[in-house]
Amino acid sequence: MYLLLDIFGYLSVVLRGLILIAQSFTLGGLAFQLLLWGPLQPQLSVFGLSIEERCRAFLRFSAVAWALLTVASLALNAAALVGTLQVPWSEAVTADFGRADLVIAACAAGIAVLTKGPAHRVRSAALLALSVLALAMQTRLTHAASRPDVRWPLLLSDAGHMAGAAAWIGGLPYFLIALNGCKDAGDWRLIARRYSLMSMAAVAAIVSGGLVMAANYIGSVAAVYGTAYGVMTLAKVGLLLMLLMLGASNYFLVERLRRDPTTPIFRLKRFAEVEIGIGITVLLAAASLTSLPPGADLPHDRLDWQEIVERAAPQWPPRLTSPDYDRLTVAQLQAKITLADAGRASAQSAYVPGEGTILPRNAEDIAWSEYNHHWAGVFVVLIGLLALVEHFRWGRWARHWPLLFLAMAAFLFFRADEQAWPLGPAGFFESLRDPEVAQHRIFVLLIAVFGLFEWRVRLRGTKAGPSALVFPLTTALGGALLLTHSHAIANIKDQLLIEMSHTPLALCGVAAGWARWLELRLDGRVRRAAAWIWPVAFILVGLILLDYREA
């Protein structure tokens, strides 16, 4: 139980993100079926049984995942209540959030059952009713339901926001299945045109709902940059702008397809793939946002603009020399405890993972952390520069740049968490009880994995096959996970200043990953542009790390 409480915050954000993804894919599949596939099917040149069956299979999978994830979230929240307030399980499960989760899970299970058969009016009406009920219950788990003032405008805005995200982002996999399944240019034109109209309506719902919620939950310009809620909202807006750029490009392509049926749709499919990836990241950012208190509710202890400018002002040179380990807080505390317990069989540990105790930080601790970030920045800048050099004929030698990832992973494995093995008193597996340490270990593993795979890709060239996609997927995943990353620092301002540096890192990581994806999956001008975009994004990540400071 203690371990569960230790990692509850991080697990709840991840579970919430997965729920939003499964929910969007379920409701998006229903919107695709009711608004696009059903009305258009008589006009298509093929009956499309195989397309419809694939869409139904993905819809059933999404609905089942939505139900199971909702039950898992209910169990996690109930366990946290039982562990902290010592309430009975029956009382925890029947709390407001428990009843809402049970209704949502039942609706999702019902959708999974009803989608097994062919669509008709009664079945479609039942599916629509279950979707509306599930969406209504989902709004009871948002900030809108807990507001003390008038809640209906916020509840409606939240529902419209989620419905818009489902129709656009959640409908993308089905749109892609339909494009890949149809072979006639006329079918492509009809499907693309209808989905484009659906997406525009969905964007209007997303933006209008988002503006209403931002006005109420943020409240002022100062809260945009002065609170964690405002910063995460900016991250979500940045991701939305990426999606809108891709969507605008697809819109113009659809218009060309409408005028000229012979227009190739290869780029439309590839951009849709990237939209799905960035859309999933948006949903993870939304989950992270729901775990934060609204900025309007935090009138005190906000960052002011002067503090942000002072921390962000570049300082040169970066810190490339490390303080000695025995000068760190954890080492000094452990030495004192060991000395005091010299007569005992075993000394106590200064740091026990998962206890939630925050160790004091001295100047050497800050210097240690800055040293780690600055050297990581050196690695990343070199990776980006060598990836650019590789484009030139004389730069073929630079294709071994992925090996730098392995060096960086080894560096971070030893240095990122001074309180854990191999430097600190906590053992390797024991240290994983700390959510921050566990996240760092995951990032190190991701770095090593895509370093190895990308080196293999560079050596094999065009013969690399699907393994070439590991690098962009891992990079994009790392950026998405960074949006759920958190630090436990007593001073909330210090925490927010650090998160402010992590947010642009995440956005650059997402941009780099999906730009590399387009380089691999497209040709022509888009491929050439993407080949330059992702190394530049890596260089920006490195420069941000080189300017990282904690004081």
Side-chain angles (χ1 to χ4, degrees):
M1 180 60 69
Y2 287 114
L3 178 59
L4 175 64
L5 295 177
D6 293 338
I7 61 176
F8 170 77
Y10 184 66
L11 275 182
S12 62
V13 172
V14 173
L15 261 180
R16 178 65 178 170
L18 294 176
I19 288 171
L20 290 178
I21 293 169
Q23 169 188 298
S24 297
F25 285 163
T26 302
L27 300 182
L30 293 175
F32 187 87
Q33 177 180 311
L34 297 176
L35 300 178
L36 189 152
W37 188 253
L40 286 185
Q41 196 174 46
Q43 305 176 44
L44 301 178
S45 60
V46 293
F47 187 62
L49 278 177
S50 61
I51 297 174
E52 187 172 354
E53 186 53 39
R54 287 198 294 270
C55 288
R56 281 184 190 169
F58 187 74
L59 176 55
R60 286 195 297 272
F61 173 80
S62 300
V64 171
W66 186 13
L68 294 178
L69 289 168
T70 301
V71 171
S73 177
L74 169 60
L76 177 67
N77 288 315
L81 278 181
V82 171
T84 55
L85 301 181
Q86 306 300 318
V87 299
W89 276 94
S90 57
E91 185 176 339
V93 172
T94 56
D96 286 345
F97 74 88
R99 293 195 297 269
D101 277 339
L102 289 173
V103 173
I104 292 169
C107 290
I111 291 172
V113 172
L114 289 175
T115 51
K116 289 183 178 180
H120 52 74
R121 288 188 177 180
V122 175
R123 193 183 298 269
S124 297
L127 288 170
L128 182 60
L130 288 175
S131 301
V132 172
L133 178 58
L135 195 60
M137 290 297 102
Q138 197 67 261
T139 61
R140 297 187 63 181
L141 304 176
T142 63
H143 288 306
S146 62
R147 306 308 292 173
D149 45 6
V150 180
R151 296 183 297 176
W152 284 109
L154 291 174
L155 289 171
L156 292 174
S157 298
D158 217 332
H161 195 71
M162 288 190 286
W168 180 18
I169 298 171
L172 281 167
Y174 307 92
F175 175 59
L176 200 54
I177 290 172
L179 289 181
N180 288 326
C182 293
K183 306 301 179 185
D184 183 76
D187 294 342
W188 291 336
R189 180 175 55 187
L190 288 172
I191 293 170
R193 178 62 179 167
R194 176 64 66 92
Y195 186 75
S196 178
L197 293 174
M198 286 176 54
S199 299
M200 287 189 285
V203 169
I206 291 171
V207 173
S208 58
L211 289 175
V212 172
M213 289 188 291
N216 285 271
Y217 295 152
I218 299 177
S220 65
V221 175
V224 173
Y225 58 80
T227 64
Y229 190 93
V231 172
M232 282 303 303
T233 300
L234 289 179
K236 193 177 173 184
V237 170
L239 292 167
L240 180 61
L241 291 176
M242 294 185 195
L243 280 176
L244 290 176
M245 289 174 61
L246 291 168
S249 177
N250 280 345
Y251 171 79
F252 292 125
L253 185 59
V254 169
E255 289 299 305
R256 282 176 53 195
L257 183 64
R258 186 171 62 85
R259 295 190 300 268
D260 180 10
T262 63
T263 301
I265 64 165
F266 186 64
R267 194 181 74 183
L268 183 65
K269 295 178 182 179
R270 298 298 172 250
F271 276 16
E273 292 171 353
V274 176
E275 283 188 80
I276 293 172
I278 298 179
I280 289 174
T281 309
V282 170
L283 296 175
L284 289 174
S288 183
L289 197 62
T290 58
S291 69
L292 298 170
D297 295 341
L298 300 174
H300 307 295
D301 293 325
R302 292 179 177 178
L303 285 174
D304 58 46
W305 189 249
Q306 184 178 356
E307 290 173 309
I308 297 172
V309 171
E310 181 181 352
R311 178 64 65 88
Q315 288 192 356
W316 198 260
R319 190 185 298 275
L320 301 180
T321 57
S322 172
D324 295 332
Y325 178 78
D326 58 9
R327 298 175 63 187
L328 301 181
T329 298
V330 66
Q332 292 178 349
L333 286 176
Q334 189 63 57
K336 291 179 180 179
I337 293 173
T338 303
L339 181 62
D341 294 347
R344 298 184 183 180
S346 61
Q348 297 179 355
S349 295
Y351 163 75
V352 178
E355 269 196 345
T357 302
I358 301 173
L359 296 176
R361 292 168 61 82
N362 57 29
E364 283 72 21
D365 292 314
I366 292 173
W368 180 278
S369 178
E370 292 179 353
Y371 171 87
N372 293 345
H373 284 82
H374 293 173
W375 267 108
V378 171
F379 282 115
V380 176
V381 168
L382 287 176
I383 288 169
L385 290 174
L386 290 177
L388 290 176
V389 168
E390 188 188 6
H391 290 308
F392 301 98
R393 291 183 179 179
W394 51 269
R396 290 295 300 162
W397 58 271
R399 70 182 185 277
H400 299 293
W401 57 261
L403 293 177
L404 286 172
F405 279 121
L406 302 181
M408 183 169 68
F411 171 80
L412 293 177
F413 178 78
F414 284 97
R415 297 270 318 186
D417 301 289
E418 67 276 9
Q419 71 275 28
W421 187 89
L423 295 178
F428 176 78
F429 293 104
E430 181 191 6
S431 66
L432 297 180
R433 288 170 52 93
D434 188 322
E436 185 177 334
V437 174
Q439 291 174 71
H440 287 164
R441 299 300 192 197
I442 292 173
F443 288 133
V444 167
L445 180 62
L446 290 175
I447 291 169
V449 167
F450 70 58
L452 285 172
F453 272 87
E454 188 63 15
W455 186 43
R456 181 172 177 266
V457 168
R458 295 294 163 177
L459 293 179
R460 299 187 65 185
T462 56
K463 299 179 181 179
S467 61
L469 300 178
V470 171
F471 174 76
L473 287 175
T474 313
T475 304
L477 177 62
L481 288 177
L482 195 55
L483 290 175
T484 65
H485 183 56
S486 62
H487 285 83
I489 297 178
N491 188 337
I492 192 172
K493 289 190 175 183
D494 285 344
Q495 180 180 1
L496 182 53
L497 285 167
I498 292 175
E499 295 304 322
M500 282 183 136
S501 67
H502 282 182
T503 300
L505 288 177
L507 295 179
C508 287
V510 171
W514 293 115
R516 173 61 176 159
W517 178 276
L518 290 178
E519 181 192 6
L520 293 170
R521 303 279 283 169
L522 280 176
D523 51 19
R525 290 182 299 176
V526 175
R527 178 179 183 176
R528 290 192 294 272
W532 285 90
I533 289 174
W534 74 261
V536 171
F538 262 80
I539 292 173
L540 289 175
V541 168
L543 293 176
I544 294 171
L545 288 171
L546 282 170
D547 190 46
Y548 177 88
R549 285 186 291 132
E550 294 187 8

